């Protein structure tokens, strides 16, 4: 047969070829390419180096795609659409469940709690009772969601004010429902992030990019190490703030998926009390023009300003009736729960 070699034209075409895209989009061309290459009888040094370089490039690209596959964005949304007074609580639950972002029981519970917290009895249709709990049980079983960790609810922020009695009653009803809550002995929780003072939290999370290493001992997952990465707000655009969960670079990649996790803040006080602070429905952090005062939902660092003085993102900036300011004794860290 005729001798097959790579001429200059073929070398140029081969250099431009993306083997990964070709194998997916044109499998017949990909197969024919390697069939032709098998017919090369006189492999010159330049041909060998070209093919070796292309294989190395392809391997690196696959590795990069694998890393991307083992990461996901931590969803942060505004509670604003769920605060209308003409909606009762059952309507709000249905709206939350219809939102594709609500893919676990933690997000649903937090959406309800943040609604109750924000409106504090302004809406007479916000009735917390066993009927609401039965509705949540039905949704959880239909969706095949995992129970929430008892440790999560046991540390949930307790607002010692009668105006927020329905918030406390909601959490207590949940804690006493074994069909929604499981005691995990810490196996599905990770409190691995280091505590930060309010000023440290502002400097390290809001003002610069940051990585937090976590470990989770959930036996369901083979790779227990992961990283929560936060990307600081760029310019005057709050929507540019991002949180991503990705595999830890400390361990080799595995073919199993990255654990699906729910993130919250935990605050400690000098009297040794811990409080879980939900962040899913707080939207994106934002600040004033001087970047000295920051707002994240119902939390202000260090203290409240008029919301009109803050940078606006695509979501409505809610003027909460009550909010959490800061004390020098407070300490914050991110926590996660396996879902």
């Amino acid at each position: 047969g005729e001798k097959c070699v790579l001429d200059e034209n073929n070398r140029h075409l081969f250099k431009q070829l993306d083997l990964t895209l070709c194998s997916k989009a044109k499998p017949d061309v990909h197969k024919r390419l390697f069939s032709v290459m098998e017919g090369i009888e006189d492999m010159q040094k330049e041909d060998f180096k070209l093919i070796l370089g292309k294989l190395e490039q392809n391997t690196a690209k696959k590795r990069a795609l694998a890393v991307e596959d083992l990461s996901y964005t931590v969803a942060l949304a505004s509670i604003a659409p769920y605060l209308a007074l003409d909606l009762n609580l059952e309507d709000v639950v249905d709206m939350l469940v219809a939102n594709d972002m609500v893919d676990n029981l933690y997000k649903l519970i937090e959406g309800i709690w943040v609604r109750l917290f924000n409106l504090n009895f302004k809406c007479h249709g916000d009735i917390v009772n066993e009927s609401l709990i039965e509705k949540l049980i039905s949704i959880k079983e239909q969706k095949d969601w995992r129970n929430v960790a008892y440790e999560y609810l046991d540390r949930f922020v307790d607002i010692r004010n009668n105006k927020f009695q329905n918030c406390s009653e909601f959490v207590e009803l949940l804690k006493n429902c074994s069909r929604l809550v499981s005691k995990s002995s810490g196996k599905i929780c990770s409190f691995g992030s280091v505590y930060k003072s309010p000023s440290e939290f502002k400097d390290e999370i809001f003002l610069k990019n940051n990585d937090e290493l976590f470990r989770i001992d959930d036996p369901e997952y083979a790779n227990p190490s992961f990283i929560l990465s936060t990307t600081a707000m760029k310019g005057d655009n709050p929507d540019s703030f991002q949180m991503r969960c990705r595999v830890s670079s400390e361990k080799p990649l595995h073919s199993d998926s990255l654990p699906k996790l729910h993130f919250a803040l935990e605050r400690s006080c000098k009297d040794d009390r811990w409080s879980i602070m939900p962040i899913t429905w707080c939207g994106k952090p934002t600040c004033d023009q001087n970047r000295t005062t920051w707002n994240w939902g119902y939390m202000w660092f260090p203290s409240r300003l008029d919301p009109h003085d803050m940078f606006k993102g695509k979501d409505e900036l809610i003027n909460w009736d009550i909010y959490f300011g800061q004390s020098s004794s407070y300490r914050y860290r991110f926590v996660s729960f396996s879902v």
Side-chain angles (χ1 to χ4, degrees), residues 9 53 60 68 128 270:
N9 188 46
E68 183 65 25
V128 173
K270 61 183 178 182

Side-chain angles (χ1 to χ4, degrees), residues 110-307:
E110 288 185 358
I112 296 168
W113 184 90
V114 172
R115 153 92 178 193
L116 295 172
F117 173 78
N118 185 276
L119 295 182
N120 54 70
F121 289 113
K122 286 180 187 170
C123 181
H124 298 296
D126 285 0
I127 300 170
V128 173
N129 54 22
E130 291 292 345
S131 175
L132 173 62
I133 298 302
E134 287 298 323
K135 184 178 180 74
L136 296 185
I137 291 171
S138 175
I139 292 167
K140 178 246 171 185
E141 291 177 350
Q142 287 175 18
K143 297 284 188 178
D144 196 26
W145 285 341
R146 193 173 193 169
N147 282 7
V148 299
Y150 182 84
E151 293 89 337
Y152 160 81
L153 290 171
D154 195 42
R155 294 181 176 220
F156 214 85
V157 59
D158 183 19
I159 309 157
R160 299 176 182 182
N161 185 319
N162 287 336
K163 284 176 68 178
F164 301 95
Q165 185 179 348
N166 53 359
C167 290
S168 301
E169 287 177 354
F170 178 50
V171 173
E172 286 303 312
L173 284 170
L174 289 168
K175 283 169 67 174
N176 292 316
C177 180
S178 60
R179 294 171 70 183
L180 294 174
V181 181
S182 298
K183 291 192 175 182
S184 67
S185 302
K187 292 294 185 184
I188 65 172
C189 317
S190 179
F191 300 90
S193 179
V194 177
Y195 275 122
K196 297 172 173 53
S197 69
S199 61
E200 289 170 336
F201 188 86
K202 181 182 71 172
D203 291 345
E204 296 180 26
I205 304 302
F206 295 154
L207 289 170
K208 64 182 182 182
N209 299 343
N210 189 66
D211 285 344
E212 304 268 350
L213 179 65
F214 284 76
R215 285 183 61 83
I216 200 158
D217 293 326
D218 190 338
E220 199 169 302
Y221 299 104
N223 190 352
S225 297
F226 59 93
I227 290 172
L228 177 66
S229 294
T230 52
T231 304
M233 185 178 102
K234 296 179 179 65
D236 59 0
N237 179 17
D239 296 322
S240 60
F241 177 86
Q242 295 290 331
M243 295 174 62
R244 287 191 68 80
C245 183
R246 59 184 175 84
V247 292
S248 167
S249 59
E250 291 187 354
K251 297 177 79 73
L253 296 181
H254 293 277
S255 58
D256 54 69
S257 62
L258 179 68
K260 292 297 182 185
L261 303 161
H262 180 76
F263 289 92
L265 272 183
E266 184 183 53
R267 186 187 70 186
S268 73
C269 302
K270 61 183 178 182
D271 58 0
D272 208 29
R273 281 189 297 119
W274 290 271
S275 299
I276 295 290
M277 316 285 285
I279 56 175
T280 301
W281 300 102
C282 287
K284 301 291 185 75
T286 186
C287 64
D288 65 340
Q289 290 192 3
N290 297 321
R291 293 180 176 263
T292 54
T293 298
W294 287 80
N295 166 261
W296 199 2
Y298 52 84
M299 294 175 284
W300 287 86
F301 296 80
S303 58
R304 186 180 182 276
L305 283 182
D306 187 325

